[in-house]
Amino acid sequence: MKSQTITKADLDWKNLPFNYIKTDFNVRCHYKNGKWSSPELFADENIQMHIADPCLHYGQEAFEGMKVFETVDGRIVAFRPDENAKRLQSSSKQILIPPIPEDLFLEATHKLVAANAKFVPPFGTGASFYVRPLVLGIGPQVGLGPAAEYVFIIFGTPVGPYYKGGFKPVKALVIEDFDRAAPLGMGPYKVGGNYAAGLIGNAFGKEKGYPIILYLDPKEKKYVDEFGTSNFIGISGDKYITPASSSILPSITNKSLAAISEEMGLTIEKRQIEINEVENFDEVGAVGTAAVITPVNLIHYKGRDFKFGDGQPGPVITRLYNRLTRIQTGEDEDKFSWLDEISI
Ligand code: PLP
Ligand code: COI
């Protein structure tokens, strides 16, 4: 069935916030006695928990974020969900959660989206259906150790842009007083604890008027790591430059944009970037599922302002944004095979 033949939910699609809007179903699987159960639909948005569940005390939790779109020709597609499945496995292994098999992850994603098809924003609205898989360690336990049981939940919600105004430049503050990750810590894994650690820096930035914060490497405080909820990219001449660091999340958006950049004839440099070098970049972007590519027109560091562009998104970042979003909505051919079509 074409997505356009579905009666869509009555929502103001062009003005959606990036926030939770109730849908009809979520999907859950349980892990018990060494096995994951098959995905099941639930209408209830609440979960019953035990007061001694280890995810509540010791943060044994990992999650993902991915987007689903309606295409110009009325299909519903998930963007690279196989990559999210792999990253959730990597995060899970690091905190001793039994990894969810990729085919189970994809089956659960398809089931969720098909059951909530009326909440997938119509093509042309600029909105998307944001999917949030999470896995929690459960079963009463007080001593420190991995949980005996787990629940894997996927829910979704229609969303608008993460930063107000959509594709518009924002300013960033380099955070010097807090780290979100440690040199041999959890930075490359998408675990809840990293985001708890990031709240204070985020609040500090917002208080000072910066919607985005930029972390430096936690060891030397010399190299660019990543933004609070997205990777860093810099454009310098014909180069696409992004940090090589062992304390950042490997972003699927960044990997996709690097492929698009290569196709456009840019040279990809994944290497350490000294913070002082950033001043010479032509354009800077914050890239991630929620952020897409958010142009950064100013970075404040040690009393100095590094400025990029004239207040408008730069030309290369604009081309990258257009190409990525046109692939996601089927307006451009899916030549990289990034779209996973969902039957509804
Ligand atoms: N870095 C952090 C800390 C994030 O939370 C995210 C969002 O998922 C990203 C980077 C971007 O990753 P992706 O492009 O896979 O969404
Ligand atoms: C995402 O971009 O999907 C994220 O998980 C970031 C989150 C803080 C919204």
Side-chain angles (χ1 to χ4, degrees):
M1 204 196 304
K2 293 267 184 198
S3 174
Q4 287 132 331
T5 60
I6 284 182
T7 308
K8 295 277 176 173
D10 184 19
L11 293 170
D12 183 5
W13 299 108
K14 288 198 167 150
N15 295 298
L16 291 176
F18 191 94
N19 211 341
Y20 183 76
I21 291 173
K22 186 186 178 329
T23 61
D24 288 343
F25 297 102
N26 57 84
V27 171
R28 304 180 197 181
C29 305
H30 281 88
Y31 181 89
K32 206 174 172 171
N33 302 326
K35 255 183 58 192
W36 282 104
S37 68
S38 296
E40 269 183 81
L41 285 175
F42 284 78
D44 190 352
E45 298 161 282
N46 297 294
I47 49 172
Q48 202 178 6
M49 306 211 61
H50 192 283
I51 52 175
D53 280 342
C55 63
L56 300 177
H57 303 250
Y58 301 129
Q60 200 191 12
E61 186 269 355
F63 71 102
E64 270 304 324
M66 56 194 182
K67 277 184 175 167
V68 168
F69 302 88
E70 183 182 281
T71 62
V72 63
D73 56 351
R75 290 171 296 134
I76 291 185
V77 296
F79 184 71
R80 309 194 77 176
D82 52 324
E83 291 286 335
N84 295 90
K86 290 185 180 84
R87 192 170 61 191
L88 186 61
Q89 290 185 337
S90 155
S91 303
S92 297
K93 284 181 194 157
Q94 195 66 13
I95 51 171
L96 307 190
I97 292 179
I100 293 137
E102 186 174 325
D103 54 357
L104 187 65
F105 180 99
L106 296 175
E107 186 189 340
T109 303
H110 281 234
K111 200 164 184 147
L112 172 87
V113 177
N116 291 302
K118 70 179 192 212
F119 295 100
V120 176
F123 169 78
T125 55
S128 58
F129 188 70
Y130 184 75
V131 175
R132 171 54 56 84
L134 57 150
V135 55
L136 308 172
I138 55 170
Q141 184 174 309
V142 179
L144 178 63
E149 293 178 28
Y150 296 87
V151 60
F152 171 53
I153 304 171
I154 308 196
F155 70 85
T157 194
V159 295
Y162 193 67
Y163 296 104
K164 257 209 295 261
F167 188 59
K168 246 181 52 189
V170 296
K171 29 184 218 165
L173 174 68
V174 176
I175 291 289
E176 295 175 72
D177 297 339
F178 314 103
D179 287 318
R180 70 176 275 285
L184 291 175
M186 299 302 292
Y189 309 104
K190 203 165 171 71
V191 296
N194 286 349
Y195 295 79
L199 290 174
I200 192 158
N202 211 39
F204 183 81
K206 287 231 166 80
E207 207 178 282
K208 300 244 176 301
Y210 296 88
I212 303 196
I213 51 167
L214 180 60
Y215 290 103
L216 300 182
D217 77 282
K219 196 168 178 187
E220 294 185 71
K221 292 272 187 232
K222 186 172 166 194
Y223 302 102
V224 173
D225 238 357
E226 65 176 332
F227 295 105
T229 61
S230 48
N231 272 185
F232 176 101
I233 63 164
I235 305 294
S236 182
D238 64 355
K239 291 189 196 130
Y240 175 107
I241 310 168
T242 196
S245 164
S246 57
S247 45
I248 65 173
L249 192 75
S251 155
I252 296 156
T253 314
N254 195 355
K255 185 169 161 181
S256 309
L257 289 169
I260 290 173
S261 298
E262 207 157 28
E263 178 199 42
M264 284 179 181
L266 298 180
T267 305
I268 314 303
E269 286 187 6
K270 192 170 175 184
R271 58 166 170 85
Q272 286 186 313
I273 303 169
E274 262 198 55
I275 180 64
N276 287 315
E277 181 191 346
V278 170
E279 191 172 14
N280 305 320
F281 288 173
D282 303 321
E283 300 176 46
V284 167
V287 307
T289 298
V292 194
I293 312 178
T294 299
V296 173
N297 64 349
L298 183 150
I299 296 178
H300 186 80
Y301 174 58
K302 285 200 193 293
R304 289 153 67 201
D305 282 339
F306 302 162
K307 293 192 178 152
F308 313 97
D310 57 3
Q312 296 304 313
V316 177
I317 282 183
T318 302
R319 275 176 73 200
L320 291 173
Y321 176 89
N322 288 338
R323 179 87 172 115
L324 176 70
T325 53
R326 286 179 63 88
I327 291 175
Q328 289 172 328
T329 52
E331 292 164 281
D332 282 359
E333 188 203 337
D334 179 23
K335 71 169 250 202
F336 299 102
S337 297
W338 285 338
L339 305 185
D340 179 15
E341 188 172 341
I342 289 159
S343 313
I344 50 173

